[in-house]
Amino acid sequence: MQKFLLCLGCGLGLLTALSANAFAVEAIETDAWRLDDRVVPVAEHVELTLDPAEDDYTGRVVIDLVAHEAFTSFRLHAEGPTFSGGTLVSLDGGTTDLAAAVTHAAQGLVTLTAPSALPAGNYRLTIDFSANYQHDGLGLYQTVSRGQPYLFTQFEDRHARKAFPCWDEPSFKINWQLTLKVPANLEVVNNAAPALETVDGDWKTVTFGRTPPMPSYLVALAVGPLEYVDVPGLSVPGRIVTPHGQTALAAQAVQLAPPLLRRLEAYFGIPYPYAKLDQIAVPEYVYGAMENAGLITYTDGLLLLDAENPSLVAQRRLANVMAHEMAHMWFGDLVTMKWWDDLWLNESFADWICARVVDQQYPEYRMNLAQSREIKSAMRIDALPSITAIRRKVTSETDLAQLADALTYDKGKGILTMVENWIGPAQFRTAMQAYFTKHRWGNTVAGDLWATFSQTSGDDITDLLSGYIEQPGVPLVSVALTADGQLQVSQRRFHNLGAPQLPGQWQVPVVLVWGKDGAVHHDRVLLKKATDRFALPGLATADWIYPNANESGYFRWELSPELNASLASHAAALSPIERVGLLDNTAALFGAGLINGGDYLAYLTAFAADTDPDVNTSVLGDISSLEGTFITAANEERYFAYRAAMLRPMLDRIGLQPIADESRFNGPLRRSLYASLGYEGADPAVVAECRRLAEQFFVDPRSVDPALRTTALDVAAYHGDAAWFARLKQALADADSPLVRRPVISALSSFHDAAIARDALALSLTPSLNSTEFLAVARGFGDDDDLREMTVDWVMAHYDAIAAKAPAEYVASLINIGTGGDHAVFEKLRSFLLDPVRKTEFGEVNITKATERFELRERLREKELANVDHYLATFRGLVRPD
């Protein structure tokens, strides 16, 4: 069936209007491998002949260029494609053959050279090439799902160059058009809608519409036996695209997308900027999702959910990630960073706003609390001595995978939360709308946004921001009342126990919440010095003071002893997000050596009676975190008794099994309680229930409560035998959807029997598990104290096979398999991975962080083991025996 062909803009005469000022490229003189702005693209047409059943493909690119000055040669990127040269046609029709030579193989830089100098002007470059498909989930890669081959793409950050020749840097924001020739029985999708389709025998050719300006890393395509579900209610046409046979799992995505998009359009004050919005489920995917303009990609287990009974966690996660990726259509796609050193802002903003719109649309998800937990997680990383500033200098040779960390996402949104809280939500939104109106379809640096904030709000926030962006670390804010009733606030850099004392000073916006006679009040102060005093009416007579209202500040805090005592006795007056924040801050102070182990455990014990499920989850997590540091063969019996006394009443309160009309938050809490009580502690009732649910899963996976599927299988496997392993292998082979596949893979990594664990590790290297799944097995056994050393030995023995199968980012995180209580095991893996033969930039960063965490645990154990032991030995609130 033919469709009306949109204008391709291929006539050279159109180039006249797209000359010198099409865009500006921020060149870095000291970076020899950045592309320059002498000869630049304005549009690229990519023609590919693709068959997922083959190993390789052929293609052609036709690129419209502008030369700003006379030239003999210029550079572009092509890391995978093979070609010997290109043809350059000038505006007057003159043709020049160019010779190609690899300039820098590691960067995929290719120099094209003409026989003699050519004048400035407009040109068209044509390159014919061939290439092999990738198999690591990056670039244009091939995968097999349920026996059928597919092609997908992942081009961020520097993987478009693996698929076709291009200018593969974010500043080169151009129009793109793809023409794809594929087997006629397959489907093909791209950023744009099809403009023309023709069929010739067993092949069909689809030419897609021309995109608005965008960088190469946002180009995307997919080929295979794809299926579609329309998404009504969007402002543009949209579909959920699934692998064959998976459309029944798209209903939740169809329901979530329209209201989230409407809220984003309302916030930005700019309609969704692309012609369509397809969202595609990918069965082998390195990342969670990717904001390709008009074609957002997701790992299939995230996008495809049980249509009738999704778990709260899965539904909330999908809403959050979907809003994040949609937000990128404005922040990142419509307005794009000039260079990767502002990747943090790109991701931080999308992560910040996704929680806002999800919280507005689905307040029952408590996204603000979930986001606060993530920001606190960033603080833990930000306290490591080796940590760098959130805005990091990036060169063309930087391993950009290391930038996608908790600082990039979570510290950044913590900073944005503070800014919004300080200048006010209305002013913040006005500034964002002005920013996008001014810079739409262009490239910016972070300073462009800060300038807009200052201009809109009337407050100069540059100094406030620079403290958090340009220097690493977390402030520790100390709060006390002076004898004359003033608030005394001090700051220094927060350090973990025994860490080097590093400098740091910030402008810290502190928002206080305090209570008097049942009334709640708020005040705010801006701490610009190391210590300052503030006169706040009524505060001196407050019953209690909490120094981080609604957890809006990015800092740790401590109160004077008297203020801490009054807060502890009034903690129930705090909101759930503040009670969770209080627990997290207390854990941080314990890690810093500022409170002792006995007092810390007493704090946890006091909060165990709280009935809020999120507070319960925090208590549960803090108790479980003791295991890697303080629990030994000598005290584990007392620890298990303490843990049961703390956690079993929570499970009794919400019930071992779900009941009709219960709080949806009981599901995640019950799952966590099953995990905490079902493994080493082996609570008989929990283990029996997990075995019952596992048996039910083998009969009908969807009949098991979705909140409990994975944990029930995990606990059953932990106590399972070879017969259980055989059943799981068969379930993996028969899995017909990610709803089944993911719990089964998790269970395969949960056995406690060493012989079965070896069999599972061997299975992981077979084609039964793909490149993005298989390391989950080793990571699972690395969490088991009794299996860690065996797993580390296996990793070392099979390193080459692992590195050949896994994406490089996954290989760089192998050190985490060895983290735990045994120094010798950790050091063995650390030394192995730091060998020059295996060491990588990203891997070394991860190893440094892991080493700092490990050393902190050793220092905490040395300082606090006796205090923890004493508390456990004298604790008298033991659960009664069954």
Side-chain angles (χ1 to χ4, degrees), residues 73-150:
S73 65
F74 57 90
R75 298 187 303 191
L76 50 67
H77 292 109
E79 187 176 346
T82 299
F83 58 95
S84 59
T87 302
L88 202 61
V89 178
S90 65
L91 190 62
D92 62 9
T95 300
T96 303
D97 290 330
L98 306 176
V102 176
T103 308
H104 191 307
Q107 295 297 310
L109 272 177
V110 175
T111 298
L112 295 175
T113 304
S116 58
L118 297 171
N122 298 316
Y123 294 88
R124 169 161 296 148
L125 170 66
T126 301
I127 300 173
D128 293 303
F129 64 93
S130 61
N132 294 316
Y133 298 123
Q134 305 292 310
H135 294 93
D136 60 356
L138 300 171
L140 173 53
Y141 66 96
Q142 183 185 58
T143 188
V144 176
S145 177
R146 300 173 68 193
Q148 296 178 301
Y150 292 82

Side-chain angles (χ1 to χ4, degrees), residues 552-607:
S552 60
Y554 189 85
F555 53 81
R556 296 297 187 186
W557 53 266
E558 60 179 354
L559 298 176
S560 63
E562 61 275 12
L563 291 182
N564 189 64
S566 62
L567 176 63
S569 63
H570 291 85
L574 300 176
S575 66
I577 191 174
E578 290 163 346
R579 300 204 300 279
V580 169
L582 173 58
L583 283 166
D584 184 88
N585 192 73
T586 304
L589 296 182
F590 174 52
L594 299 176
I595 59 176
N596 69 48
D599 290 342
Y600 176 56
L601 288 178
Y603 227 91
L604 294 182
T605 301
F607 271 87

Side-chain angles (χ1 to χ4, degrees), residues 351 374-375 377-378 405-415 554:
D351 231 33
E374 292 164 354
I375 294 169
S377 177
D405 61 8
L407 296 189
T408 295
Y409 288 79
D410 299 327
K411 180 176 182 177
K413 69 188 177 194
I415 295 169
Y554 189 85

Side-chain angles (χ1 to χ4, degrees), residues 375-433:
I375 294 169
K376 299 301 193 295
S377 177
M379 289 185 189
R380 287 190 285 276
I381 295 174
D382 212 9
L384 297 175
S386 67
I387 208 67
T388 58
I390 185 173
R391 192 176 198 268
R392 288 159 269 188
K393 182 173 177 59
V394 174
T395 72
S396 58
E397 297 185 288
T398 301
D399 184 347
L400 293 177
Q402 65 181 286
L403 302 184
D405 61 8
L407 296 189
T408 295
Y409 288 79
D410 299 327
K411 180 176 182 177
K413 69 188 177 194
I415 295 169
L416 292 173
T417 298
M418 278 200 312
V419 172
E420 183 201 32
N421 189 61
W422 195 249
I423 70 175
Q427 295 281 17
F428 190 95
R429 180 183 179 191
T430 298
M432 294 307 308
Q433 291 180 343

Side-chain angles (χ1 to χ4, degrees), residues 66 117 128 144 154 157 203 208 215 222 266 278 307 373 405 439 495 507 527 529 564 613 646 701 723 773:
V66 174
D128 293 303
V144 176
Q154 171 57 40
D157 47 77
W203 292 82
F208 292 89
D278 286 343
R373 287 188 190 276
D405 61 8
H439 298 289
H495 297 96
Q507 289 192 14
L527 179 62
K529 302 183 295 186
N564 189 64
M646 298 283 282
E773 296 171 330

